Amino acid sequence: MGEFALIEEIRRRCAVPRADVILGIGDDAALLQPRAGSELAVSTDTLVAGVHFPAGTAPFDIGWKSLAVNLSDLAAMGAEPAWALLALSLPAADADWLAGFCDGFAALARQHGIALVGGDTTRGPLTITVTVHGFAPPGAALRRDGARAGDRILVSGIPGEAAAGLTCLLGSALLHAAGPVDRDYLLERLQRPIPRVALGLALRGIASAAIDISDGLRQDLGHIAARSGLGAVIVTDRLPHSEALQRAGDADQRLRWQLAGGDDYELCIAVPPARVAAAQAAAADCGTVLTDIGAFEEGDGVRIVDAAGADVALPRSGWEHFVA
Ligand code: ADP
Ligand code: MG
């Protein structure tokens, strides 16, 4: 396969029709019809083999995840997905690999009606950069800087499951007690994250701030706190659990997964106390759960406390590139 055969295969396998795509893959640039009166939300994220996924990860999962992490950013903004670009750097033109990758990418793209409208294809170490575009009504997008002191902190799903999945993948003895059903479930949480797009849309007008959890709950919550000029406190006993997570590790290990594990792609939001019930009802409509884990407060930084209010120490806060 040459470069143009690769591009044609991507175009064929990833096609999602949209009326607002005037001209898609195949010209020097795509021509797109922006939605009148909307703000355009734009975001990009890169996955590097060996950094964001282990070498040998199934191509379907890589394709899925490369779009999922980007859709998750749109979800965290409360933006409706529209268009995507895909910059692919591949070590070789492997038709089977490309087919698997495209099928994973396309499966998620179809679910969200997002059209792949262009990109770039080069030879090099396996690296995938996806750029996404979405719409939100003026002033309605969920930002990091809108939290107020007293707002509750809510998280969707079960943060920590993806990190437990990574521990499974790395073959830690710790998880040998977890049965194959748990392992498959936790691995799926790591490799096929579900971007909370519908939830993000439903939270417009309810949440005062939002972020998606890619680098660990504590660290990502810290970004909302910092951008909002506040501190935050998480109560460990309030953190949501699943049975699979309970079985996978002891209490200390679980706490590290929940607070410092990355790759969950759940939403962490600020909600005024009077709107918590509305937020939780919206989540139920989207087939997910929002758990109240703490509150924003005057000050700075993220405090972790137990039910009695005593500080809980954690060894590491979350994932950061360029930090040893
Ligand atoms: P140019 O050299 O002008 O950048 P390319 O040969 O790179 O053009 O791309 C040809 C067309 O194929 C363009 O429309 C481009 O957006 C699209 N394209 C290239 N690579 C990809 C890809 N990985 N995914 C989607 N579209 C792609
Ligand atoms: Mg090019």
Side-chain angles (χ1 to χ4, degrees), residues 233-253:
V233 55
I234 297 176
V235 183
T236 54
D237 305 70
R238 289 175 161 266
L239 290 167
H241 282 279
S242 63
E243 290 185 5
L245 196 63
Q246 296 272 18
R247 285 190 288 262
D250 62 22
D252 275 359
Q253 175 69 81

Side-chain angles (χ1 to χ4, degrees), residues 132-173:
V132 288
H133 306 73
F135 301 122
L142 306 173
R143 302 163 47 137
R144 295 181 179 181
D145 59 5
R148 302 277 181 86
D151 279 357
R152 302 302 305 178
I153 302 164
L154 274 55
V155 290
S156 66
I158 319 284
E161 287 184 337
L166 181 62
T167 310
C168 291
L169 194 68
L170 300 178
S172 164

Side-chain angles (χ1 to χ4, degrees), residues 2-63:
E3 179 187 332
F4 301 114
L6 280 167
I7 295 171
E8 178 51 25
E9 188 68 359
I10 293 168
R11 193 191 62 74
R12 197 176 63 77
R13 287 188 178 267
C14 295
V16 173
R18 277 186 71 97
D20 56 10
V21 178
I22 313 300
L23 186 60
I25 293 171
D27 212 309
D28 294 310
L31 294 174
L32 308 168
Q33 181 64 62
R35 186 175 297 174
S38 275
E39 288 175 2
L40 184 64
V42 183
S43 182
T44 195
D45 256 323
T46 296
L47 299 190
V48 179
V51 177
H52 297 95
F53 56 88
T57 300
F60 187 102
D61 292 338
I62 299 172

Side-chain angles (χ1 to χ4, degrees), residues 136-252:
L142 306 173
R143 302 163 47 137
R144 295 181 179 181
D145 59 5
R148 302 277 181 86
D151 279 357
R152 302 302 305 178
I153 302 164
L154 274 55
V155 290
S156 66
I158 319 284
E161 287 184 337
L166 181 62
T167 310
C168 291
L169 194 68
L170 300 178
S172 164
L174 198 67
L175 282 186
H176 290 176
V181 175
D182 283 352
R183 279 208 293 278
D184 285 353
Y185 169 77
L186 294 170
L187 279 174
E188 180 156 331
R189 300 293 297 132
L190 174 70
Q191 292 173 323
R192 303 260 181 97
I194 298 169
R196 303 295 182 190
V197 174
L199 179 59
L201 294 177
L203 289 169
R204 294 199 301 221
I206 298 176
S208 45
I211 192 169
D212 66 318
I213 307 172
S214 53
D215 299 330
L217 173 58
R218 181 197 198 165
Q219 180 169 305
D220 289 326
L221 171 63
H223 293 315
I224 297 187
R227 299 276 302 177
S228 299
L230 295 172
V233 55
I234 297 176
V235 183
T236 54
D237 305 70
R238 289 175 161 266
L239 290 167
H241 282 279
S242 63
E243 290 185 5
L245 196 63
Q246 296 272 18
R247 285 190 288 262
D250 62 22
D252 275 359

